[in-house]
Amino acid sequence: MIDWNRVEELRDEVGAEDFLEVVELFLEEVDEAIARMQTQPDETRLEQDLHFLKGSSLNLGFAAFSTLCYEGETAARQGHTDTIDLPKIFNSYAASRAEFLSRSAA
């Protein structure tokens, strides 16, 4: 679910203090995007939203979530928004977020 090698790589690249800021910003921005997608769904923004989520999550090592976002982004680009399982994407983020925070706090 989480690419812990990527997490360590990013931490080494930016330093421990800046890494915490990156994590806080990532979680804040992704939480906001997902909340908006859940409360105000907009098919015209779906490809853009999933692209943002994919890139952000890949950078922080949320591998499974990023893959689902990529698949959804591709489907949206091809006009197949009806095939995108948003609840699965949202659940993947929630599970990844919980695992990340649990292991990062340890």
Side-chain angles (χ1 to χ4, degrees):
M1 186 171 299
I2 303 291
D3 179 354
W4 292 105
N5 290 328
R6 175 61 193 137
V7 173
E8 290 302 320
E9 183 179 284
L10 180 62
R11 184 177 295 149
D12 290 345
E13 287 174 7
V14 301
E17 187 175 314
D18 288 338
F19 178 75
L20 293 176
E21 290 179 34
V22 168
V23 169
E24 286 178 26
L25 182 61
F26 165 78
L27 294 175
E28 180 182 314
E29 289 180 350
V30 173
D31 287 347
E32 287 176 6
I34 287 180
R36 181 181 41 74
M37 291 172 73
Q38 290 173 322
T39 60
Q40 301 169 337
D42 182 353
E43 253 186 49
T44 64
R45 288 185 46 101
L46 197 51
E47 180 182 352
Q48 178 184 354
D49 287 339
L50 291 169
H51 177 80
F52 163 73
L53 293 173
K54 174 196 72 180
S56 297
S57 60
L58 190 60
N59 189 44
L60 198 59
F62 282 47
F65 175 63
S66 181
T67 297
L68 291 174
C69 291
Y70 169 75
E71 292 168 355
E73 176 191 6
T74 300
R77 183 178 317 110
Q78 295 171 347
H80 302 294
T81 56
D82 58 318
T83 66
I84 301 169
D85 188 347
L86 287 177
K88 183 177 181 180
I89 292 171
F90 300 150
N91 289 336
S92 176
Y93 172 67
S96 297
R97 186 184 199 282
E99 179 183 334
F100 182 86
L101 291 175
S102 172
R103 185 159 167 191
S104 293

